[in-house]
């Protein structure tokens, strides 16, 4: 049985812990926040939900990294969320410092954890965590693609009046307005989506997906947490259960898709070692151009981070 640490006990971190506890697949979850009482309170609240919802996962909260010792998986959600008018990139300096210091503190007590980054701007924060950690690249990666794909699938499900369960899709690129949805690789119970939805409708859904995070920031005054938290918990589940699930995940590319030294979302197989392998789809030239443009946009922000 495993130990999972979630750093940041705010909206997203508390949701990761809560959703993961409900899966009843890990022995212990430690919630860490600089505001220790907040982490303690949210952990205690979720532990008190256990008798109602029938799970045994034990939760504690703390601001002391000693209590995270020997974690198998660490999910990083610490940082400030996006406010209306901010792009994800505006968060870079504040959240990069937070992510870097969090990774260093984590590694004082856990020697070889798998780290899942959720803090934004996601692709660059994943890079920051990888750089600070010195861990193998298959052990440090970011959650964005499952969320973006879920938004796309949810919009399609509403449009077609079908269950979101039956919509399969993959999405690539950076976590932002340059993300690359792939209608060619989208099916509804095996039926190509292009047979069920006209081009204009599909394009409108793709555009809504790209700005899906911003839509929620506008509605709520802060960024989303239910779907992001559930998406990170699903990645933890795939690793703990060695499921070999195929998800779009933010990882470092070293030649795949003709791209190098950049962190972007691509389909991977997720199992007990984290990223077991990257899956290289055959993209057409338009898709390749979109992916290259998206990677270039991420690289620009990575360069900003490198110069900081
Ligand atoms: N160490 C631990 N926790 C920290 C640190 C730190 N150095 N700095 C900030 N935190 C905590 C805050 O105290 C807060 O409780 O991180 C938490 C962030 O929670 P919220 O403000 O509710 O933000 P949330 O909506 O959870 O988003 C967190 O995830 O999706 C991304 O864009 C989002 O980068 C943001 C992150």
């Amino acid at each position: 049985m495993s130990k999972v640490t979630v750093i940041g006990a705010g909206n997203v971190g508390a949701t990761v812990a809560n959703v993961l506890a409900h899966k009843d697949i890990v022995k212990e979850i430690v919630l860490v926040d600089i505001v220790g009482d907040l982490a303690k309170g949210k952990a205690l609240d979720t532990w008190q939900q256990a008798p109602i919802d029938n799970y045994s996962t034990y939760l504690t909260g703390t601001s002391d990294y000693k209590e995270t010792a020997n974690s198998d998986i660490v999910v990083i959600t610490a940082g400030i969320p996006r406010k209306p008018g901010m792009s994800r990139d505006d968060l870079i300096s504040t959240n990069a410092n937070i992510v870097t210091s969090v990774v260093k503190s984590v590694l004082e007590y856990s020697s070889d954890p798998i780290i899942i980054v959720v803090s934004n701007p996601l692709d660059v924060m994943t890079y920051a965590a990888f750089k600070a950690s010195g861990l193998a690249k298959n052990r440090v990666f970011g959650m964005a693609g499952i969320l973006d794909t879920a938004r796309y699938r949810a919009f399609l499900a509403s449009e077609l009046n079908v269950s979101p369960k039956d919509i399969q899709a993959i999405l690539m690129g950076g976590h932002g307005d340059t993300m690359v949805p792939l209608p060619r690789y989208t099916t509804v119970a095996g039926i190509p989506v292009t047979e069920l939805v006209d081009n204009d409708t599909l394009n409108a859904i793709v555009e809504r997906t790209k700005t899906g995070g911003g839509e929620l920031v506008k509605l709520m005054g802060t960024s989303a947490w239910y779907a992001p938290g559930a998406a990170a918990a699903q990645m933890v589940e795939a690793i703990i259960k060695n499921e070999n699930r195929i998800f779009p995940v933010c990882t470092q590319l070293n030649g795949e898709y003709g791209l190098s030294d950049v962190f972007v979302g691509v389909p991977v197989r997720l199992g007990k070692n984290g990223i077991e392998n990257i899956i290289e789809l055959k993209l057409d030239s338009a898709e390749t151009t979109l992916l290259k443009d998206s990677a270039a946009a991420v690289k620009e922000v990575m360069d900003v981070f490198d110069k900081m």
Side-chain angles (χ1 to χ4, degrees):
M1 285 290 267
S2 319
K3 176 169 177 176
V4 174
T5 286
V6 179
I7 316 276
N11 286 333
V12 178
T15 306
V16 175
N18 194 278
V19 173
L20 186 59
H22 278 81
K23 293 181 189 284
D24 205 13
I25 53 172
V26 305
K27 185 165 189 290
E28 187 183 353
I29 299 173
V30 181
L31 204 48
V32 179
D33 202 285
I34 32 166
V35 188
D37 281 351
L38 177 76
K40 273 196 185 107
K42 292 203 179 173
L44 184 59
D45 192 9
T46 298
W47 175 235
Q48 289 170 356
Q49 201 178 351
I52 303 165
D53 285 348
N54 282 317
Y55 51 82
S56 314
T57 300
Y58 185 59
L59 298 102
T60 54
T62 185
S63 53
D64 182 353
Y65 280 85
K66 260 191 214 122
E67 293 176 37
T68 71
N70 303 316
S71 293
D72 301 290
I73 302 178
V74 177
V75 180
I76 300 180
T77 76
I80 56 163
R82 197 149 59 118
K83 300 289 175 203
M86 283 171 98
S87 77
R88 288 189 180 87
D89 298 346
D90 292 335
L91 302 173
I92 181 170
S93 59
T94 310
N95 284 357
N97 287 333
I98 293 174
V99 166
T100 301
S101 78
V102 159
V103 166
K104 298 217 152 120
S105 304
V106 161
L107 291 178
E108 278 178 43
Y109 300 98
S110 301
S111 57
D112 196 25
I114 287 176
I115 297 180
I116 302 173
V117 180
V118 182
S119 310
N120 273 311
L122 190 274
D123 308 281
V124 181
M125 291 308 108
T126 307
Y127 170 50
F130 174 71
K131 226 173 140 176
S133 75
L135 294 172
K137 60 162 272 194
N138 61 304
R139 301 184 80 77
V140 185
F141 42 89
M143 187 296 294
I146 296 181
L147 171 64
D148 293 329
T149 310
R151 286 179 173 150
Y152 175 56
R153 292 166 67 197
F155 295 147
L156 277 170
S158 324
E159 175 62 33
L160 293 167
N161 194 22
V162 300
S163 167
K165 287 193 265 189
D166 284 330
I167 299 186
Q168 292 291 328
I170 197 87
L171 205 145
M172 297 172 66
H175 183 47
D177 305 349
T178 64
M179 74 179 72
V180 187
L182 296 170
R184 229 162 42 87
Y185 288 108
T186 307
T187 63
V188 183
I191 307 161
V193 74
T194 42
E195 290 185 17
L196 301 174
V197 185
D198 64 73
N199 254 343
D200 288 351
T201 309
L202 196 53
N203 286 338
I205 287 173
V206 163
E207 285 314 307
R208 188 173 176 200
T209 303
K210 287 185 184 173
T211 54
E215 179 179 355
L216 287 163
V217 173
K218 243 191 231 157
L219 289 168
M220 303 193 292
T222 188
S223 51
W225 59 89
Y226 292 121
Q234 189 171 49
M235 288 170 76
V236 174
E237 181 176 23
I239 297 163
I240 299 278
K241 292 162 104 176
N242 191 23
E243 286 184 310
N244 290 313
R245 297 247 7 222
I246 302 206
F247 290 132
V249 167
C250 173
T251 182
Q252 187 190 47
L253 296 185
N254 292 318
E256 297 88 354
Y257 294 97
L259 296 165
S260 284
D261 296 322
V262 65
F263 281 76
V264 283
V266 288
V268 309
R269 188 164 59 90
L270 212 55
K272 66 177 188 312
N273 301 304
I275 294 182
E276 304 288 353
N277 64 285
I278 292 174
I279 295 167
E280 282 198 76
L281 302 177
K282 289 194 179 86
L283 299 181
D284 64 24
S285 68
E287 291 158 351
T288 303
T289 304
L290 286 175
L291 182 62
K292 292 220 154 115
D293 290 351
S294 186
V298 172
K299 190 84 175 105
E300 259 178 48
V301 191
M302 283 171 63
D303 291 343
V304 171
F305 167 73
D306 278 333
K307 287 188 193 119
M308 269 167 37

